[in-house]
């Protein structure tokens, strides 16, 4: 470095020339074209200018088939009563029964569910109006091959009047029509009365129902109720047997009368026995599977329409403050019952009506049930009880009996005075304070009230009109009532015996009155609801038969 620094005219920090040297010829700036042309790609979406891209390139149009709504889309269209869609004679209607489908030649309007349709009219639909049935004609798409020829094999139709012989290979058993009395034969019929034939007798019903009591071959009816495709399912059961067993569970069991009415109306059968949620449907004496009504099947489940809200912020007959107060009280209210999943709720309406006799608020606990299930139960209770729904919070149905509620015991002086020991005002009271009741407060169940009414009618109890009685006056009332009750208890109607010898005339079965003709033992002791024991008519030895026995013994001596 010392040698370089000692050299004259040497600048160690010299800069580059400010301007390039002049070129000798202009041909050096020309660049030859490459042998392969450079492709021109469209700029990426990130580098596009939004101002110029809309004018330069139009947006590609997507296929309209991809824009159809599906289960995940939030489709909503308000509807009114009347026809909302039509394709020739195939129309979709909005009416009193919700969404219904009208097909040419159909005996009635088809619905997805005939028993679980709310009475409120829908306000909107969640999908475009279309038919869930197969189209009447569908052209075959070209596949490059000619269509196959029609089969020449003749498939035999099932005829109940002429069933195949027993033991034939490849053919299942087909039930013959009946039962018929001796000398009667089946007759072809098209109307319901003709197919049912003569009413069944009691022993015939027992003969038909007994084989199905403990059989698992049945139609299960769930939360959707009696659906359209169950019509064909019931007829397939009737092909093999005369009675179809229908087991109902869940929401439809709240109103079993409606389920039975719909079953008889749509299928044309007759309910011959019913126990809880189990219904036995008889097909008719003259039923023929070949001439049964055939309905098209629904290929999918339509989306449920939108109905008005069940819970109003300010219910009818209440102010906003009163509704809030009732909802706060309902949080500490004890439920009258607990509904299990897939249970049978036949007595729920009666239990709610009985509970309204003692309290203006009633709560039903529904742990584990689907929200749609207990909302449907609440809608049914609103129509059947009737009542006003306040909330569905915490899987519980809170109801108010309403301003226009009237007690079923208005003419009965034994109306219980309502006690507020089960509301939120007494939540802070101790158990001892809650057990202490007022002198004028009477807490009683409807069952006790019915027992009291029965005792008053049988002259075994009396109602005191005066409450403030001294002990002496009360004792006189009791002694007076004892005399009248004993006289009524030991008094019997006089019986006139036909003759001095005490023998009765023989009565033939043909001359016996009609009221005794239907007396017969029940075909199912397990399903009998009459558990009351027969009470003796009078004291032992006071019957006319006893007098006859005494006279006969005296003659034999």
């Amino acid at each position: 470095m010392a040698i370089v620094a000692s050299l004259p005219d040497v600048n160690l920090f010299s800069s580059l020339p400010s301007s390039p040297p002049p070129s000798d010829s202009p041909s050096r700036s020309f660049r030859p074209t490459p042998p392969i042309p450079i492709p021109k790609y469209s700029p990426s979406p990130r580098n596009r200018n939004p101002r110029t891209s809309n004018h330069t390139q139009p947006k590609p149009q997507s296929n309209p088939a991809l824009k159809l709504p599906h289960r995940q889309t939030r489709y909503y269209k308000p509807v009114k009563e009347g026809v909302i869609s039509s394709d020739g004679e195939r129309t979709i209607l909005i009416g009193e029964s919700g969404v219904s489908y009208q097909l040419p030649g159909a005996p009635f309007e088809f619905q997805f569910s005939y028993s679980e349709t709310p009475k409120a009219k829908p306000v909107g639909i969640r999908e475009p109006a279309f038919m869930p049935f197969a189209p009447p004609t569908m052209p075959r798409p070209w596949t490059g091959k000619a269509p196959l020829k029609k089969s020449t094999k003749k498939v035999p139709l099932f005829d109940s009047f002429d069933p195949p012989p027993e033991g034939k290979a490849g053919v299942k058993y087909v039930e013959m029509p009946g039962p018929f009395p001796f000398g009667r034969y089946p007759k072809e019929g098209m109307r319901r009365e003709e197919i049912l034939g003569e009413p069944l007798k009691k022993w015939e019903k027992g003969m038909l129902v007994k084989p199905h009591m403990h059989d698992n071959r049945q139609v299960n009816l769930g939360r959707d109720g009696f659906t359209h495709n169950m019509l064909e399912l019931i007829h397939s059961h009737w092909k093999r047997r005369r009675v179809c067993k229908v087991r109902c569970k869940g929401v439809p069991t709240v109103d079993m009368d409606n389920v039975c009415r719909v079953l008889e109306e749509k299928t044309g059968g007759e309910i011959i026995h019913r126990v809880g949620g189990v219904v036995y449907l008889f097909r008719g004496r003259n039923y023929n599977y070949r001439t049964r009504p055939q309905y098209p099947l629904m290929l999918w489940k339509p989306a449920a329409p939108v109905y008005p809200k069940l819970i109003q912020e300010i219910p009818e007959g209440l102010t906003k403050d009163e509704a809030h107060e009732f909802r706060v009280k309902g949080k500490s209210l004890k439920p009258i019952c607990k509904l299990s999943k897939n249970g049978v709720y036949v007595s729920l309406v009666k239990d709610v009506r009985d509970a309204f006799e003692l309290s203006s608020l009633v709560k039903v606990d529904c742990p584990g049930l689907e929200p749609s299930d207990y909302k449907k139960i609440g809608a049914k209770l609103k129509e059947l009880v009737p009542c006003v729904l306040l909330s569905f919070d915490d899987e519980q149905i809170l109801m108010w009996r309403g301003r226009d509620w009237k007690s079923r015991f208005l003419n009965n002086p034994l109306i219980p005075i309502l006690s507020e020991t089960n509301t939120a005002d007494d939540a802070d009271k101790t158990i001892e304070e809650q057990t202490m009741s007022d002198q004028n407060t009477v807490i009683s169940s409807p069952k006790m009230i019915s027992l009291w009414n029965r005792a008053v009618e049988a002259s075994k109890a009396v109602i005191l009109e005066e409450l403030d009685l001294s002990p002496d006056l009360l004792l006189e009332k009791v002694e007076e009532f004892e005399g009248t009750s004993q006289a009524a208890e030991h008094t019997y109607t006089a019986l006139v015996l036909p003759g001095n010898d005490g023998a009765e005339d023989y009565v033939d079965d043909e001359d016996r009155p009609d009221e005794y003709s239907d007396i017969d033992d029940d075909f199912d002791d397990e399903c009998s609801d009459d558990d009351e024991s027969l009470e003796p008519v009078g004291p032992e030895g006071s019957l006319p038969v006893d007098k006859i026995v005494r006279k006969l013994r005296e003659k034999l001596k």
Side-chain angles (χ1 to χ4, degrees):
M1 293 296 294
I3 297 172
V4 175
S6 62
L7 293 176
D9 302 331
V10 176
N11 188 7
L12 298 177
F13 304 99
S14 61
S15 60
L16 296 174
S18 59
S19 59
S23 59
D24 298 338
S25 62
S27 62
R28 291 183 180 178
S29 62
F30 174 76
R31 295 182 180 179
T33 58
I36 301 175
I38 301 174
K40 294 182 179 180
Y41 297 102
S42 60
S44 62
R46 295 181 181 179
N47 300 331
R48 285 181 184 176
N49 189 356
R51 296 179 182 178
T52 59
S53 61
N54 295 334
H55 301 286
T56 56
Q57 283 188 346
K59 247 183 182 178
Q61 295 182 356
S62 61
N63 194 334
L66 302 176
K67 294 183 178 180
L68 292 176
H70 49 84
R71 297 287 184 182
Q72 303 299 328
T73 58
R74 292 189 177 183
Y75 180 89
Y76 177 79
K77 180 182 178 182
V79 292
K80 295 182 180 180
E81 187 176 0
V83 180
I84 60 175
S85 178
S86 63
D87 183 11
E89 297 181 353
R90 299 159 60 93
T91 58
I92 303 177
L93 308 173
I94 297 291
E96 296 180 356
S97 57
V99 181
S100 57
Y101 309 95
Q102 192 171 7
L103 299 181
F108 50 85
E109 296 177 357
F110 296 149
Q111 304 172 24
F112 172 72
S113 177
Y114 296 103
S115 63
E116 300 308 304
T117 303
K119 292 186 178 179
K121 297 179 181 178
V123 297
I125 54 177
R126 291 188 172 94
E127 63 183 7
F130 57 85
M131 286 279 183
F133 306 99
T137 57
M138 180 179 293
R140 176 183 176 271
W142 176 249
T143 58
K145 295 181 181 180
L148 299 175
K149 295 181 180 180
K150 292 185 178 180
S151 177
T152 57
K153 183 179 179 181
K154 294 183 179 180
V155 180
L157 297 177
F158 290 100
D159 195 341
S160 301
F161 285 17
D162 187 17
E166 295 184 5
K168 187 176 180 180
V171 178
K172 292 184 178 180
Y173 174 74
V174 178
E175 184 69 53
M176 295 183 65
F180 294 104
F182 183 74
R184 301 283 184 88
Y185 298 97
K187 299 178 182 179
E188 287 282 357
M190 299 303 294
R191 296 184 303 169
R192 181 174 182 266
E193 294 77 10
E194 297 175 352
I195 296 174
L196 289 178
E198 299 178 1
L200 292 173
K201 297 180 181 178
K202 194 168 185 179
W203 67 269
E204 290 178 328
K205 293 181 180 180
M207 178 188 66
L208 292 171
V209 170
K210 264 192 176 181
H212 299 269
M213 285 288 184
H214 305 287
D215 194 1
N216 292 331
R217 184 180 173 87
Q218 61 190 11
V219 176
N220 294 319
L221 198 142
R223 63 164 58 94
D224 291 331
F226 182 64
T227 58
H228 175 77
N229 288 353
M230 286 184 182
L231 290 169
E232 184 65 24
L233 183 60
I234 288 177
H235 282 286
S236 65
H237 280 255
W238 280 346
K239 178 171 62 175
R240 312 294 179 192
R241 298 184 180 183
R242 295 170 180 169
V243 174
C244 177
K245 181 180 178 181
V246 182
R247 183 178 293 276
C248 308
K249 287 186 178 182
V251 179
T253 58
V254 177
D255 190 6
M256 282 299 298
D257 294 337
N258 178 47
V259 175
C260 296
R261 179 188 61 81
V262 170
L263 281 172
E264 291 186 342
E265 180 181 345
K266 300 302 179 184
T267 61
E270 180 186 3
I271 294 175
I272 59 175
H273 190 50
R274 167 182 160 187
V275 181
V278 182
V279 174
Y280 297 89
L281 193 62
F282 176 58
R283 65 181 188 177
R285 294 182 187 266
N286 302 314
Y287 175 82
N288 191 358
Y289 181 76
R290 182 177 57 83
T291 59
R292 76 190 187 282
Q294 300 185 21
Y295 308 110
L297 296 177
M298 283 193 179
L299 303 183
W300 55 81
K301 178 182 177 180
V306 181
Y307 290 95
K309 290 185 177 180
L310 290 172
I311 304 297
Q312 304 292 334
E313 185 179 358
I314 305 176
E316 185 179 357
L318 290 175
T319 62
K320 189 174 183 180
D321 296 336
E322 289 176 343
H324 177 70
E325 181 182 357
F326 281 158
R327 290 187 178 106
V328 172
K329 286 183 177 181
K331 292 182 179 179
S332 59
L333 190 70
K334 295 181 180 179
I336 61 170
C337 62
K338 184 182 291 185
L339 303 182
S340 61
K341 192 173 182 180
N342 295 330
V344 180
Y345 319 131
V346 177
S347 62
L348 181 61
V349 175
K350 181 180 179 299
D351 293 342
V352 174
R353 287 175 180 171
D354 294 344
F356 277 141
E357 299 288 341
L358 301 176
S359 175
S360 59
L361 293 178
V362 171
K363 186 165 66 173
V364 177
D365 195 7
C366 311
L369 267 68
E370 295 290 335
S372 61
D373 288 354
Y374 57 74
K375 288 180 181 179
K376 290 178 183 178
I377 293 174
K380 287 179 176 289
L381 293 176
K382 180 181 178 181
E383 298 171 359
L384 299 174
V385 172
C387 59
V388 179
L389 298 176
L390 295 179
S391 75
F392 289 124
D393 296 341
D394 303 327
E395 297 183 345
Q396 294 174 338
I397 306 173
L398 182 63
M399 296 163 282
W400 176 55
R401 62 187 180 187
R403 300 281 186 195
D404 301 332
W405 176 82
K406 293 181 180 180
S407 175
R408 292 177 293 169
F409 306 102
L410 280 178
N411 299 326
N412 189 354
L414 297 175
I415 299 176
I417 302 174
L418 302 182
S419 175
E420 300 295 336
T421 58
N422 201 15
T423 57
D425 297 338
D426 300 326
D428 299 332
K429 292 183 180 180
T430 60
I431 299 176
E432 296 180 357
E433 294 176 348
Q434 291 182 1
T435 53
M436 294 174 61
S437 58
D438 190 26
Q439 294 180 357
N440 297 328
T441 302
V442 178
I443 304 173
S444 177
S445 64
K447 188 173 183 180
M448 285 298 301
I449 294 176
S450 63
L451 292 175
W452 289 340
N453 291 335
R454 195 179 301 174
V456 171
E457 293 174 358
S459 301
K460 295 181 180 180
V462 67
I463 301 171
L464 295 178
E465 298 179 357
E466 300 176 2
L467 297 179
D468 300 332
L469 293 176
S470 61
D472 297 334
L473 293 176
L474 183 61
L475 183 60
E476 291 179 2
K477 293 276 185 182
V478 172
E479 291 176 351
E480 182 182 354
F481 172 67
E482 276 186 353
T484 56
S485 63
Q486 289 178 2
E489 185 175 358
H490 297 287
T491 301
Y492 306 101
T493 56
L495 297 177
V496 179
L497 298 178
N500 297 328
D501 54 351
E504 292 185 357
D505 296 335
Y506 177 74
V507 181
D508 195 4
D509 292 336
E510 296 179 356
D511 300 332
R512 192 177 294 274
D514 295 337
E515 59 181 351
Y516 298 103
S517 60
D518 294 332
I519 296 179
D520 194 5
D521 293 334
D522 197 2
F523 55 84
D524 186 22
D525 297 336
E526 298 176 359
C527 303
S528 179
D529 296 329
D530 190 9
D531 296 329
E532 297 181 358
S533 59
L534 298 175
E535 296 182 358
V537 181
E540 186 177 357
S542 63
L543 296 177
V545 180
D546 300 329
K547 298 180 181 178
I548 297 173
V549 172
R550 291 195 204 100
K551 290 183 179 181
L552 291 175
R553 286 179 179 174
E554 291 176 359
K555 289 183 179 180
L556 292 175
K557 289 180 180 178

